[in-house]
């Protein structure tokens, strides 16, 4: 069992090093971003501990995939397998537990530990037997693949919307918009093979506009029910809803341009750091978007000429 966790840690570090980033930097940045987001939730949301527990349990869903669990069962005894699953879940929720301890929410610390252990006995249906239907198949591939890997997070977003409406908490409801945009941003963190760009019979400018148009359209499809519900139930806060929508669309635009500004290479530390800065200094987007747009055209011209 010790060898299994040691191997998983080495694999994780190897994936990070493939991005030409030292793992320690990633861990520090991830910890900082996690602390900022956690603090924001507890400042803006009335039922923050409940939301926090939902997010923590949602982050363990990937560990419940049937194929990886079948692999573990083949290689370990039933007793060892269950120990591994419990430890895995507890490792994933540890950052959430530490922040709940920092907020002295001791009751919710106990609840989260119990639920994390119980969730280790849950296993998702084998995707080989069932393909998750997605409406995003016409224009592959980011939304089609991303939706199938993270579909449960959209249920979390819609759950927050309903909870926010029922409790008349606009901050909680608006958080649904933030989750949808954050999840959509992750769809563009992977770089496709150069061949999948080369097959487009388009100029660099038209290719970029096509990618951006698809991203905006699909994101709007997911957000439209949330946006309409917010406007109906919180009409006085239309300006705040509008700000988050515009900011989210700008971040989506930025992440697409950032990806292709270094294409076919992967996004490195410099770009990741500049993108992360936008969460603290939103006006920076007005500089980075045109810069990354110009760089994207230069990179794509070499492939689509």
């Amino acid at each position: 069992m010790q060898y299994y966790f040691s191997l998983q840690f080495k694999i994780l570090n190897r994936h990070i090093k493939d991005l030409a980033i030292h793992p320690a930097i990633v861990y520090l940045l991830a910890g900082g971003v996690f602390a900022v987001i956690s603090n924001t939730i507890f400042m803006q949301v009335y039922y923050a501990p409940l939301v926090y527990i939902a997010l923590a349990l949602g982050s363990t869903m990937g560990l419940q995939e049937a194929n990886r669990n079948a692999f573990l069962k083949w290689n370990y005894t039933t007793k060892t397998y269950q120990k591994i699953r419990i430890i895995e879940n507890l490792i994933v929720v540890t950052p959430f537990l530490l922040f709940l301890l920092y907020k002295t929410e001791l009751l919710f610390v106990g609840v989260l530990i119990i639920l994390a252990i119980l969730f280790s006995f849950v296993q998702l249906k084998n995707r080989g037997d069932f393909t998750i239907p997605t409406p995003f198949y016409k224009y592959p591939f980011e939304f089609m693949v991303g939706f199938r890997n993270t579909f449960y997070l959209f249920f979390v977003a819609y759950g927050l919307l309903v909870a926010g409406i029922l409790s008349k908490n606009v901050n909680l409801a608006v958080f649904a918009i933030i989750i949808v945009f954050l999840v959509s941003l992750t769809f563009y963190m992977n770089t496709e093979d150069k061949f999948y760009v080369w097959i487009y019979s388009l100029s660099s400018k038209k290719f970029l506009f096509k990618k951006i148009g698809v991203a905006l359209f699909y994101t709007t499809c997911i957000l439209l029910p949330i946006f309409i519900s917010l406007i109906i139930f919180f009409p006085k806060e239309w300006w705040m809803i509008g700000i988050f929508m515009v900011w989210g669309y700008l971040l989506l635009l930025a992440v697409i341009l950032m990806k292709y500004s270094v294409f076919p290479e992967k996004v490195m530390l410099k770009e990741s750091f500049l993108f992360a800065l936008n969460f603290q200094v939103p006006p920076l987007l007005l500089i980075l978007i045109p810069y990354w747009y110009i760089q994207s055209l230069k990179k794509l011209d070499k492939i689509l000429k």
Side-chain angles (χ1 to χ4, degrees), residues 19-260:
L19 299 175
I21 305 173
H22 194 285
I25 296 175
V26 173
Y27 295 139
L28 285 173
L29 284 175
V33 171
F34 181 82
V36 170
I37 293 175
S38 298
N39 202 45
T40 303
I41 292 174
F42 274 81
M43 288 177 63
Q44 301 293 332
V45 179
Y46 287 152
Y47 302 102
L50 294 177
V51 174
Y52 211 58
I53 286 177
L55 292 175
L57 295 176
S59 65
T60 68
M61 295 295 283
L63 300 174
Q64 296 160 18
E65 200 271 328
N67 288 331
R68 74 177 298 278
N69 279 279
F71 174 79
L72 290 175
K73 288 177 180 176
W74 289 334
N75 288 278
Y76 296 100
T77 63
T78 303
K79 187 177 180 181
T80 304
Y81 159 76
Q82 201 54 59
K83 282 184 181 177
I84 289 174
R85 288 291 295 111
I86 291 173
I87 295 173
E88 280 182 331
N89 274 19
L90 290 176
I91 289 175
V92 170
V93 302
T94 292
F96 298 90
L97 289 172
L98 293 176
F99 199 82
L100 286 171
L101 280 173
Y102 168 70
K103 289 292 183 181
T104 63
E105 298 285 359
L106 300 182
L107 173 62
F108 292 101
V109 169
V111 171
L112 179 54
I113 290 174
I114 293 171
L115 290 177
I117 292 173
L118 291 176
F119 264 52
S120 70
F121 293 90
V122 176
Q123 184 174 308
L124 294 179
K125 192 173 181 179
N126 193 337
R127 293 182 187 182
D129 300 329
F130 174 70
T131 300
I132 298 171
T134 167
F136 309 120
Y137 60 85
K138 188 173 181 180
Y139 301 106
F141 63 96
E142 289 91 350
F143 266 78
M144 184 171 64
V145 175
F147 179 82
R148 284 182 169 144
N149 287 329
T150 60
F151 68 95
Y152 50 88
L153 293 176
F154 293 112
F155 288 109
V156 173
Y158 276 84
L160 289 177
L161 173 70
V162 173
I165 292 172
L166 293 177
S167 62
K168 298 181 181 178
N169 183 342
V170 65
N171 292 327
L172 182 59
V174 167
F175 204 71
I177 293 178
I178 297 174
I179 289 181
V180 171
F181 273 118
L182 288 178
V183 174
S184 300
L185 292 178
T186 64
F187 298 169
Y188 290 87
M189 299 308 289
N190 294 321
T191 300
E192 69 266 45
D193 190 277
K194 192 161 63 174
F195 173 77
Y196 293 106
V197 173
W198 176 80
I199 57 176
Y200 281 88
S201 180
L202 296 170
S203 67
S204 301
K205 188 180 292 186
K206 288 182 178 178
F207 174 83
L208 272 180
F209 276 93
K210 182 180 180 65
K211 281 284 182 180
I212 293 168
V214 169
L216 296 181
F217 174 68
Y218 280 164
T219 306
T220 302
C221 290
I222 300 172
L223 281 171
L224 197 57
I226 297 175
F227 177 75
I228 293 174
S229 300
L230 288 172
I231 292 298
I232 291 174
F233 289 98
F234 304 102
K236 292 182 180 177
E237 282 76 17
W238 63 269
W239 57 273
M240 183 174 71
I241 299 166
I243 288 174
F244 276 103
M245 292 287 289
V246 171
W247 186 47
Y249 280 126
L250 287 175
L251 284 173
L252 188 62
L253 173 61
V255 79
I256 296 171
L257 296 175
M258 177 185 71
K259 171 183 172 179
Y260 289 106

